[in-house]
C-alpha cells in the first residue's frame, strides 16, 4: 500500500499539473476544471494522510526527533516557497470569473509555482499534522481522542464548505464569507483543548527544553509568516495556494492556524518550565540513580562493582565533582576501623592525590609515603571518618574552608562535603563521601538521595557478603565431607580373623564408631601382632572436631608403628605416651584402652590409659573392670609409667568383652539422663548369646532408642569381642555372623 | 545449651575460681580466659572449686593441663576441691588424682597453700 502511494502521489500531482496547464492554455473556463483539480487534490490528501498515519516508523522516533522534524518540514515549506517565488516572480490577478475573492495565475510559470508550492504544502503539512498528533496523544487521557476527533471533523467540514463554495477561508463575517468563517471559528475553538496537550515537555531534560524553546520561537515566526506574510506580488502564502486549489488552501490555512497556536502554547509552556528545569532534571536523575542501583544490586555480586556504581550514581544525582566510598574490610565487618577505599570518582577542579594513591595501592600492604605526604588531608578525612563512626549520622559541611573540621581540605579544592554512613544493624559498614568545588553545594534533598543510595548499597553489600559466606560454607561443608571420608578410611574396614593354631578356638569381633560431627576424635583399630597375637585398641582424643581428628590420625600412626614392638601392653602404652607427649598440644590428651589377645594361650592382657573401663561378661556376670592408668599426653613419662597396671583375663567360650568410648556412657536423652553403665551391662547380658557383631548392633540400636531425637554431642565408639569355641557345635553362639567374622580377611 | 559461670575470689595471694554449670567444648574458652587472667596478673596459686559444677567433658579437663606447667614453673599450683562425685569420677578415670591435688573443700585447699609458703 505504501509503495503504491509513493508512486501514485507524484503521478497524481503530475496529472493535476498537466490538467491545469491544459486549462490555462486552452483558456477554458468552466466550473468543471476546478472540480477535477480539487478531486485530484483530495485523493492526494487522503492518500498521504492514510500512508503517513499508517507509518510505524514515525511513531517509534523520540520526542526530540519529532520536534526537529516538524521544524525542518515547516522551514522547508517556507524556504522552498520563498526561493521559488523569488526565482519565478509569478504574477497573479483576481479575475472576475472567480468572484474577485481568489487570485489566479497570470502566467504559466505562476501556475506551476502555485502547483508546486501547494504540493509541497500538502505533503509536508500532512506529515507535520501526524507528528503533532502523536505529541498530543502523549500520555493520552480519556478525552484526548474525542477532542482531536471533533477538531478533525470540524476542520474537514470547513474545508468541504470552502471548496464547495469556492471561497477561501478567512475570518470575515461579511455576507460572502459567513458560512466558511463560522466553520473556521468553530474549528479554531475545537483546536483549543488540543493545543494545550503539551505534557511531553516534562519528559525533556533541561537542554532539550532550552532548544525546544528556541525552536518554538522559530516555529511561531514561520507559522505566522505562512499565515499572514506577503510572499510576493501582494499575495500571502495562503492566497497563492488558494489560487491552485481552494481545498489545498483551506487545508493549509487550518493547519497553519493550528500549528501557530500549538507552537505558541508549546513555547509558552517550555518557557514556564525552563526555570525549574534544572530541579526537575535533578529529581529525574535521583529517581533514575536509585532505580539503576536497585537493578544493579539484584544482578551484581561483585563488591567493587557495586561500590563503583554507587560512586557514579551519587556523584550524578548530586551533580558533585567527587565521590568515594570507604567500606569495612572483610576482616572486621562490624568495624570500628579500619576502612578501605573501595571506589573513587573524581574530576577537576577537585584534586585529592592522597585518595588516588590509596586506591592504586589498594590490596597491597599499607605503604605510607613520605611523612610530608601523609598530610593534613589524610588527617582531616580520618577525623571526619571518626565523627561518622561515632554519630552514625550523615554530615554536611557546606563551607568547608570555614569549618574547623574541614578547613585543611583547602588544597583539594573541596568547598562542600557530604558524608553519609552506610548502616547495617546500627553498624557502619561503609561511608559515602560526596564533594563539590562550590560552597553550599548540598541541601537536605541531596542528603536524602545519598542516604537512599547508601541504604541500597548496604543491601547490596550485605547480599554480596551473604552469597560469599554461603559459598564459603558450601566449600567448608565439602572439605568436611572429604575429611570425614578420609577419617573413615583410617578406621578398619573389616574385622580380623582371630583363631588359634588348632582352629578350635576363635574370637569374633564387632566394631563401630559414630562421630558427632563430620570428623571426630574417636578411634579404634586392630593389629596383627607377632605370635598370633591380636591387638585391639579404642582411643578417644579430648575435645572434638578437626583438631581431635588430626590427633586421632597421629595416634593411629604411633600405635601402628609401636604395636608390634612391645609384648607388654604396659610398656607399649609407656612408649606411646612418650612419643605422644612431645607432639601433642598441652591442653589435649588421649585416653586409650589396649587389649592384646593371645588366642593360642587363650588369654587377653589389657591396659588402660585413662579410658573408660572394660565391660567383661563371664557367665551371667557383667563386670566393669577398671585397671589403673592415666591418660596419654598428661605426663611426660615417670608418673604415667608408674600409673599403668595390666589386667590379664582368661579367654573362655561365651565370654564377651566390650571396649567403648565415653560417648556411649554420656549419650543423653531428652530428659538429660545419661545412658550409663547400668543400661550397657543389661543390654549386653540380655543379648550375650548373639555374635559379637550382633551384640554391637543391639548396643547401638539401644543407645539410639534411648537418645531419641537428641543430637549426639560426642563421638561414640564401641568394640565388642566374644570368645567362641569352634569345635563345640551345639552351642547357640555360632550364628552366621560369627562365621563371617572368622572368615573375613585379616587387615593391616 | 547449658550455662557456665566462673566467679573469682582472691584471698591474699591465693585465688579461688568457683565454676558452675557445664564445662564442655562450648564453654571451656570462658574458663580458659579466667585462668589466663590470673596468669597475666602473676597469681599462680589457684584453687578451683567444683561444688556447683554439674558436668565436665574431656575438653574441660584439658584446660587444667594447659596451665599447670606454667603455674608450677612459677612455684604455684592449681588445686581442685569440693568435687561432686560424678565430676570426680571423670577426673579419676583419666587419672587426674595422680597429677593434681584434689581436696574435699576450699578451706583445706587454702591450708595446703599456706603450709607450703611461696618460694618467690
Amino acid at each position: 500500500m505504501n509503495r503504491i502511494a509513493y508512486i501514485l502521489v507524484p503521478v497524481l500531482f503530475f496529472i493535476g499539473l498537466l490538467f491545469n496547464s491544459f486549462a490555462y492554455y486552452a483558456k477554458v473556463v468552466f466550473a468543471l476544471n476546478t472540480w477535477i483539480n480539487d478531486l485530484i487534490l483530495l485523493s492526494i490528501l487522503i492518500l498521504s494522510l492514510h500512508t503517513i498515519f499508517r507509518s510505524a516508523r514515525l511513531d517509534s522516533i523520540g520526542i526530540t526527533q519529532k520536534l526537529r522534524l516538524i521544524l525542518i518540514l515547516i522551514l522547508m515549506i517556507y524556504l522552498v516557497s520563498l526561493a521559488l517565488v523569488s526565482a519565478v516572480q509569478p504574477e497573479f490577478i483576481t479575475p472576475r470569473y472567480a468572484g474577485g475573492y481568489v487570485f489566479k495565475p497570470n502566467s504559466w510559470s505562476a501556475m506551476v509555482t502555485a502547483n508546486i508550492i501547494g504540493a509541497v504544502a500538502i505533503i509536508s503539512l500532512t506529515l507535520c499534522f501526524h507528528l503533532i498528533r502523536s505529541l498530543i496523544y502523549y500520555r493520552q487521557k480519556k478525552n484526548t481522542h474525542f477532542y482531536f476527533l471533533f477538531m478533525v471533523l470540524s476542520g474537514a467540514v470547513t474545508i468541504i464548505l470552502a471548496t464547495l463554495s469556492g471561497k477561501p477561508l478567512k475570518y470575515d463575517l461579511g455576507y460572502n464569507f459567513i458560512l466558511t468563517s463560522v466553520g473556521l471559528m468553530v474549528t479554531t475553538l475545537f483546536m483549543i483543548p488540543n493545543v494545550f496537550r503539551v505534557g511531553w515537555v516534562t519528559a525533556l531534560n533541561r537542554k532539550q527544553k532550552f532548544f525546544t524553546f528556541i525552536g518554538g520561537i522559530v516555529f511561531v515566526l514561520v507559522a505566522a509568516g505562512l499565515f499572514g506574510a506577503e510572499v510576493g506580488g501582494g499575495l500571502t502564502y495562503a492566497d497563492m495556494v488558494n489560487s491552485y486549489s481552494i481545498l489545498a488552501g483551506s487545508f493549509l490555512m487550518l493547519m497553519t492556524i493550528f500549528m501557530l497556536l500549538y507552537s505558541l502554547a508549546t513555547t509558552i509552556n517550555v518557557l514556564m518550565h525552563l526555570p525549574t528545569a534544572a530541579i526537575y532534571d535533578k529529581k529525574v536523575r535521583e529517581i533514575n540513580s536509585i532505580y539503576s542501583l536497585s537493578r544493579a544490586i539484584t544482578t551484581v555480586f561483585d563488591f567493587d562493582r557495586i561500590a563503583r556504581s554507587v560512586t557514579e550514581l551519587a556523584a550524578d544525582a548530586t551533580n558533585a565533582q567527587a565521590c568515594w566510598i570507604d567500606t569495612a574490610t572483610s576482616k572486621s565487618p562490624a568495624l570500628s576501623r579500619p576502612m578501605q577505599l573501595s571506589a573513587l570518582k573524581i574530576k577537576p577542579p577537585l584534586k585529592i592525590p592522597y585518595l588516588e594513591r590509596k586506591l592504586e595501592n589498594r590490596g597491597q600492604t599499607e605503604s605510607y609515603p613520605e611523612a610530608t605526604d601523609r598530610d593534613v588531608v589524610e588527617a582531616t578525612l580520618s577525623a571526619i571518618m571518626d565523627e561518622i563512626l561515632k554519630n552514625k549520622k550523615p554530615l554536611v559541611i557546606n563551607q568547608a574552608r570555614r569549618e574547623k573540621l574541614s578547613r585543611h581540605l583547602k588544597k583539594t579544592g573541596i568547598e562542600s562535603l557530604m558524608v553519609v554512613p552506610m548502616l547495617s544493624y546500627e553498624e557502619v559498614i561503609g561511608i559515602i563521601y560526596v564533594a563539590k568545588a562550590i560552597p553550599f553545594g548540598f541541601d537536605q534533598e541531596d542528603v536524602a538521595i545519598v542516604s537512599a543510595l547508601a541504604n541500597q548499597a548496604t543491601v547490596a553489600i550485605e547480599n554480596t557478603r551473604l552469597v560469599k559466606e554461603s559459598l564459603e560454607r558450601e566449600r567448608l561443608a565439602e572439605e568436611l565431607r572429604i575429611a570425614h571420608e578420609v577419617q573413615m578410611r583410617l578406621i578398619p574396614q573389616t574385622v580380623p580373623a582371630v583363631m588359634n593354631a588348632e582352629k578350635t578356638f576363635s574370637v569374633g569381633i564387632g566394631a563401630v564408631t559414630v562421630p558427632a560431627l563430620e570428623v571426630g576424635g574417636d578411634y579404634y583399630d586392630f593389629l596383627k601382632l607377632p605370635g598370633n597375637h591380636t591387638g585391639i585398641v579404642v582411643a578417644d582424643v579430648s575435645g572434638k572436631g578437626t583438631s581431635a581428628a588430626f590427633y586421632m590420625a597421629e595416634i593411629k600412626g604411633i600405635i601402628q608403628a609401636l604395636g608390634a614392638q612391645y609384648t607388654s601392653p604396659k610398656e607399649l602404652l609407656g612408649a606411646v605416651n612418650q612419643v605422644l607427649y612431645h607432639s601433642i598440644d598441652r591442653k589435649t590428651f588421649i585416653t586409650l584402652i589396649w587389649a592384646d589377645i593371645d588366642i593360642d594361650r587363650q588369654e587377653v592382657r589389657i591396659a588402660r590409659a585413662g579410658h573408660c573401663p572394660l565391660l567383661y561378661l563371664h557367665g551371667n556376670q557383667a563386670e566393669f573392670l577398671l585397671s589403673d592408668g592415666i591418660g596419654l599426653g598428661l605426663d611426660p613419662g615417670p608418673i604415667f609409667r608408674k600409673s599403668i597396671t595390666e589386667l590379664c583375663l582368661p579367654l573362655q567360650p561365651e565370654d564377651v568383652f566390650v571396649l567403648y568410648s565415653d560417648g556411649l556412657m554420656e549419650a543423653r536423652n531428652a530428659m538429660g539422663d545419661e545412658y550409663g553403665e547400668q543400661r550397657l551391662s543389661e543390654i549386653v547380658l540380655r543379648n550375650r548369646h548373639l555374635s559379637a557383631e550382633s551384640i554391637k548392633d543391639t548396643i547401638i540400636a539401644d543407645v539410639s532408642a534411648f537418645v531419641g531425637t537428641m543430637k549426639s554431642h560426642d563421638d561414640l565408639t564401641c568394640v565388642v569381642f566374644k570368645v567362641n569355641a569352634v569345635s563345640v557345635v551345639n552351642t547357640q553362639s555360632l550364628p552366621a555372623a560369627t562365621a563371617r567374622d572368622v572368615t573375613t580377611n585379616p587387615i593391616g | 545449651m547449658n550455662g557456665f559461670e566462673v566467679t573469682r575470689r582472691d584471698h591474699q595471694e591465693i585465688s579461688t575460681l568457683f565454676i558452675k554449670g557445664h564445662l564442655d567444648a562450648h564453654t571451656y574458652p570462658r574458663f580458659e580466659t579466667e585462668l589466663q587472667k590470673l596468669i597475666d596478673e602473676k597469681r599462680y596459686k589457684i584453687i578451683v572449686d567444683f561444688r556447683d559444677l554439674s558436668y565436665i567433658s574431656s575438653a574441660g579437663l584439658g584446660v587444667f593441663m594447659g596451665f599447670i606447667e606454667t603455674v608450677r614453673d612459677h612455684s604455684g599450683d592449681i588445686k581442685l576441691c569440693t568435687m561432686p562425685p560424678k565430676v570426680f569420677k571423670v577426673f579419676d578415670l583419666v587419672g587426674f588424682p595422680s597429677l593434681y591435688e584434689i581436696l574435699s573443700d576450699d578451706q583445706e585447699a587454702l591450708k595446703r597453700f599456706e603450709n607450703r609458703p611461696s618460694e618467690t
Side-chain angles (χ1 to χ4, degrees), chain A residues 694-713:
Chain A
S694 305
I695 292 171
K696 176 260 298 176
D697 288 342
T698 53
I699 293 170
I700 295 301
D702 193 50
V703 174
S704 299
F706 173 78
V707 167
T709 54
M710 289 293 286
K711 200 173 174 291
S712 63
H713 65 281

PDB file of all heavy atoms in Angstrom, chain A residues 694-713:
ATOM      1  N   SER A 694      26.471 -58.832  66.266  1.00  0.00           N
ATOM      2  CA  SER A 694      25.073 -58.553  66.596  1.00  0.00           C
ATOM      3  C   SER A 694      24.954 -57.859  67.946  1.00  0.00           C
ATOM      4  O   SER A 694      24.083 -57.002  68.131  1.00  0.00           O
ATOM      5  CB  SER A 694      24.257 -59.845  66.608  1.00  0.00           C
ATOM      6  OG  SER A 694      24.405 -60.500  65.374  1.00  0.00           O
ATOM      7  N   ILE A 695      25.823 -58.232  68.892  1.00  0.00           N
ATOM      8  CA  ILE A 695      25.789 -57.547  70.195  1.00  0.00           C
ATOM      9  C   ILE A 695      26.079 -56.064  70.003  1.00  0.00           C
ATOM     10  O   ILE A 695      25.380 -55.195  70.517  1.00  0.00           O
ATOM     11  CB  ILE A 695      26.803 -58.176  71.178  1.00  0.00           C
ATOM     12  CG1 ILE A 695      26.359 -59.595  71.545  1.00  0.00           C
ATOM     13  CG2 ILE A 695      26.930 -57.318  72.443  1.00  0.00           C
ATOM     14  CD1 ILE A 695      27.390 -60.379  72.338  1.00  0.00           C
ATOM     15  N   LYS A 696      27.097 -55.821  69.171  1.00  0.00           N
ATOM     16  CA  LYS A 696      27.449 -54.418  68.855  1.00  0.00           C
ATOM     17  C   LYS A 696      26.223 -53.706  68.279  1.00  0.00           C
ATOM     18  O   LYS A 696      25.883 -52.587  68.674  1.00  0.00           O
ATOM     19  CB  LYS A 696      28.621 -54.404  67.872  1.00  0.00           C
ATOM     20  CG  LYS A 696      29.040 -53.057  67.377  1.00  0.00           C
ATOM     21  CD  LYS A 696      28.510 -52.719  65.996  1.00  0.00           C
ATOM     22  CE  LYS A 696      28.991 -53.643  64.903  1.00  0.00           C
ATOM     23  NZ  LYS A 696      28.388 -53.335  63.618  1.00  0.00           N
ATOM     24  N   ASP A 697      25.527 -54.379  67.341  1.00  0.00           N
ATOM     25  CA  ASP A 697      24.355 -53.758  66.704  1.00  0.00           C
ATOM     26  C   ASP A 697      23.247 -53.478  67.714  1.00  0.00           C
ATOM     27  O   ASP A 697      22.609 -52.418  67.671  1.00  0.00           O
ATOM     28  CB  ASP A 697      23.809 -54.657  65.593  1.00  0.00           C
ATOM     29  CG  ASP A 697      24.733 -54.670  64.380  1.00  0.00           C
ATOM     30  OD1 ASP A 697      25.574 -53.741  64.270  1.00  0.00           O
ATOM     31  OD2 ASP A 697      24.634 -55.609  63.557  1.00  0.00           O
ATOM     32  N   THR A 698      23.021 -54.430  68.643  1.00  0.00           N
ATOM     33  CA  THR A 698      21.945 -54.194  69.619  1.00  0.00           C
ATOM     34  C   THR A 698      22.316 -53.051  70.567  1.00  0.00           C
ATOM     35  O   THR A 698      21.447 -52.276  70.967  1.00  0.00           O
ATOM     36  CB  THR A 698      21.626 -55.455  70.451  1.00  0.00           C
ATOM     37  OG1 THR A 698      22.835 -55.933  71.022  1.00  0.00           O
ATOM     38  CG2 THR A 698      20.992 -56.535  69.604  1.00  0.00           C
ATOM     39  N   ILE A 699      23.597 -52.942  70.880  1.00  0.00           N
ATOM     40  CA  ILE A 699      24.018 -51.822  71.747  1.00  0.00           C
ATOM     41  C   ILE A 699      23.709 -50.497  71.053  1.00  0.00           C
ATOM     42  O   ILE A 699      23.090 -49.593  71.624  1.00  0.00           O
ATOM     43  CB  ILE A 699      25.527 -51.903  72.088  1.00  0.00           C
ATOM     44  CG1 ILE A 699      25.818 -53.121  72.968  1.00  0.00           C
ATOM     45  CG2 ILE A 699      25.993 -50.627  72.789  1.00  0.00           C
ATOM     46  CD1 ILE A 699      27.299 -53.407  73.159  1.00  0.00           C
ATOM     47  N   ILE A 700      24.127 -50.400  69.777  1.00  0.00           N
ATOM     48  CA  ILE A 700      23.923 -49.146  69.040  1.00  0.00           C
ATOM     49  C   ILE A 700      22.425 -48.851  68.907  1.00  0.00           C
ATOM     50  O   ILE A 700      21.983 -47.703  69.099  1.00  0.00           O
ATOM     51  CB  ILE A 700      24.590 -49.230  67.643  1.00  0.00           C
ATOM     52  CG1 ILE A 700      26.125 -49.354  67.789  1.00  0.00           C
ATOM     53  CG2 ILE A 700      24.238 -48.011  66.786  1.00  0.00           C
ATOM     54  CD1 ILE A 700      26.785 -48.203  68.535  1.00  0.00           C
ATOM     55  N   ALA A 701      21.644 -49.903  68.620  1.00  0.00           N
ATOM     56  CA  ALA A 701      20.201 -49.703  68.485  1.00  0.00           C
ATOM     57  C   ALA A 701      19.599 -49.234  69.802  1.00  0.00           C
ATOM     58  O   ALA A 701      18.760 -48.326  69.836  1.00  0.00           O
ATOM     59  CB  ALA A 701      19.536 -50.995  68.029  1.00  0.00           C
ATOM     60  N   ASP A 702      20.075 -49.809  70.895  1.00  0.00           N
ATOM     61  CA  ASP A 702      19.556 -49.444  72.215  1.00  0.00           C
ATOM     62  C   ASP A 702      19.908 -47.999  72.554  1.00  0.00           C
ATOM     63  O   ASP A 702      19.068 -47.249  73.051  1.00  0.00           O
ATOM     64  CB  ASP A 702      20.136 -50.402  73.267  1.00  0.00           C
ATOM     65  CG  ASP A 702      19.392 -50.279  74.591  1.00  0.00           C
ATOM     66  OD1 ASP A 702      18.137 -50.330  74.569  1.00  0.00           O
ATOM     67  OD2 ASP A 702      20.057 -50.102  75.630  1.00  0.00           O
ATOM     68  N   VAL A 703      21.147 -47.613  72.256  1.00  0.00           N
ATOM     69  CA  VAL A 703      21.568 -46.224  72.527  1.00  0.00           C
ATOM     70  C   VAL A 703      20.740 -45.266  71.683  1.00  0.00           C
ATOM     71  O   VAL A 703      20.261 -44.243  72.177  1.00  0.00           O
ATOM     72  CB  VAL A 703      23.081 -46.034  72.252  1.00  0.00           C
ATOM     73  CG1 VAL A 703      23.463 -44.565  72.384  1.00  0.00           C
ATOM     74  CG2 VAL A 703      23.905 -46.871  73.196  1.00  0.00           C
ATOM     75  N   SER A 704      20.546 -45.618  70.404  1.00  0.00           N
ATOM     76  CA  SER A 704      19.762 -44.744  69.515  1.00  0.00           C
ATOM     77  C   SER A 704      18.355 -44.574  70.046  1.00  0.00           C
ATOM     78  O   SER A 704      17.818 -43.465  70.063  1.00  0.00           O
ATOM     79  CB  SER A 704      19.708 -45.330  68.109  1.00  0.00           C
ATOM     80  OG  SER A 704      20.995 -45.436  67.595  1.00  0.00           O
ATOM     81  N   ALA A 705      17.769 -45.691  70.499  1.00  0.00           N
ATOM     82  CA  ALA A 705      16.407 -45.626  71.025  1.00  0.00           C
ATOM     83  C   ALA A 705      16.367 -44.771  72.278  1.00  0.00           C
ATOM     84  O   ALA A 705      15.435 -43.992  72.490  1.00  0.00           O
ATOM     85  CB  ALA A 705      15.901 -47.031  71.320  1.00  0.00           C
ATOM     86  N   PHE A 706      17.416 -44.908  73.097  1.00  0.00           N
ATOM     87  CA  PHE A 706      17.482 -44.144  74.341  1.00  0.00           C
ATOM     88  C   PHE A 706      17.605 -42.646  74.067  1.00  0.00           C
ATOM     89  O   PHE A 706      16.887 -41.833  74.642  1.00  0.00           O
ATOM     90  CB  PHE A 706      18.671 -44.626  75.165  1.00  0.00           C
ATOM     91  CG  PHE A 706      18.933 -43.788  76.389  1.00  0.00           C
ATOM     92  CD1 PHE A 706      18.141 -43.945  77.522  1.00  0.00           C
ATOM     93  CD2 PHE A 706      19.958 -42.857  76.405  1.00  0.00           C
ATOM     94  CE1 PHE A 706      18.384 -43.179  78.647  1.00  0.00           C
ATOM     95  CE2 PHE A 706      20.193 -42.084  77.525  1.00  0.00           C
ATOM     96  CZ  PHE A 706      19.402 -42.245  78.646  1.00  0.00           C
ATOM     97  N   VAL A 707      18.484 -42.305  73.133  1.00  0.00           N
ATOM     98  CA  VAL A 707      18.756 -40.894  72.834  1.00  0.00           C
ATOM     99  C   VAL A 707      17.562 -40.256  72.145  1.00  0.00           C
ATOM    100  O   VAL A 707      17.232 -39.098  72.379  1.00  0.00           O
ATOM    101  CB  VAL A 707      20.025 -40.778  71.960  1.00  0.00           C
ATOM    102  CG1 VAL A 707      20.156 -39.386  71.379  1.00  0.00           C
ATOM    103  CG2 VAL A 707      21.252 -41.131  72.785  1.00  0.00           C
ATOM    104  N   GLY A 708      16.877 -41.033  71.292  1.00  0.00           N
ATOM    105  CA  GLY A 708      15.719 -40.489  70.582  1.00  0.00           C
ATOM    106  C   GLY A 708      16.149 -39.426  69.593  1.00  0.00           C
ATOM    107  O   GLY A 708      17.078 -39.636  68.820  1.00  0.00           O
ATOM    108  N   THR A 709      15.489 -38.264  69.664  1.00  0.00           N
ATOM    109  CA  THR A 709      15.768 -37.215  68.683  1.00  0.00           C
ATOM    110  C   THR A 709      16.914 -36.302  69.108  1.00  0.00           C
ATOM    111  O   THR A 709      17.274 -35.385  68.393  1.00  0.00           O
ATOM    112  CB  THR A 709      14.523 -36.347  68.461  1.00  0.00           C
ATOM    113  OG1 THR A 709      14.099 -35.877  69.742  1.00  0.00           O
ATOM    114  CG2 THR A 709      13.406 -37.148  67.829  1.00  0.00           C
ATOM    115  N   MET A 710      17.471 -36.550  70.293  1.00  0.00           N
ATOM    116  CA  MET A 710      18.540 -35.670  70.777  1.00  0.00           C
ATOM    117  C   MET A 710      19.770 -35.812  69.886  1.00  0.00           C
ATOM    118  O   MET A 710      20.112 -36.901  69.443  1.00  0.00           O
ATOM    119  CB  MET A 710      18.922 -36.022  72.217  1.00  0.00           C
ATOM    120  CG  MET A 710      17.860 -35.650  73.235  1.00  0.00           C
ATOM    121  SD  MET A 710      17.652 -33.868  73.361  1.00  0.00           S
ATOM    122  CE  MET A 710      19.137 -33.436  74.260  1.00  0.00           C
ATOM    123  N   LYS A 711      20.412 -34.682  69.685  1.00  0.00           N
ATOM    124  CA  LYS A 711      21.615 -34.694  68.863  1.00  0.00           C
ATOM    125  C   LYS A 711      22.775 -35.172  69.735  1.00  0.00           C
ATOM    126  O   LYS A 711      22.938 -34.720  70.867  1.00  0.00           O
ATOM    127  CB  LYS A 711      21.895 -33.260  68.391  1.00  0.00           C
ATOM    128  CG  LYS A 711      22.791 -33.177  67.198  1.00  0.00           C
ATOM    129  CD  LYS A 711      22.847 -31.727  66.723  1.00  0.00           C
ATOM    130  CE  LYS A 711      23.857 -31.569  65.610  1.00  0.00           C
ATOM    131  NZ  LYS A 711      25.237 -31.723  66.043  1.00  0.00           N
ATOM    132  N   SER A 712      23.530 -36.121  69.175  1.00  0.00           N
ATOM    133  CA  SER A 712      24.636 -36.612  69.987  1.00  0.00           C
ATOM    134  C   SER A 712      25.715 -35.538  70.053  1.00  0.00           C
ATOM    135  O   SER A 712      25.962 -34.828  69.086  1.00  0.00           O
ATOM    136  CB  SER A 712      25.206 -37.888  69.380  1.00  0.00           C
ATOM    137  OG  SER A 712      25.738 -37.606  68.111  1.00  0.00           O
ATOM    138  N   HIS A 713      26.329 -35.382  71.201  1.00  0.00           N
ATOM    139  CA  HIS A 713      27.317 -34.315  71.357  1.00  0.00           C
ATOM    140  C   HIS A 713      28.730 -34.847  71.484  1.00  0.00           C
ATOM    141  O   HIS A 713      29.666 -34.106  71.650  1.00  0.00           O
ATOM    142  CB  HIS A 713      26.964 -33.421  72.544  1.00  0.00           C
ATOM    143  CG  HIS A 713      27.030 -34.133  73.868  1.00  0.00           C
ATOM    144  ND1 HIS A 713      26.018 -34.962  74.286  1.00  0.00           N
ATOM    145  CD2 HIS A 713      27.969 -34.150  74.826  1.00  0.00           C
ATOM    146  CE1 HIS A 713      26.345 -35.461  75.472  1.00  0.00           C
ATOM    147  NE2 HIS A 713      27.524 -34.991  75.818  1.00  0.00           N
TER     148      HIS A 713
END
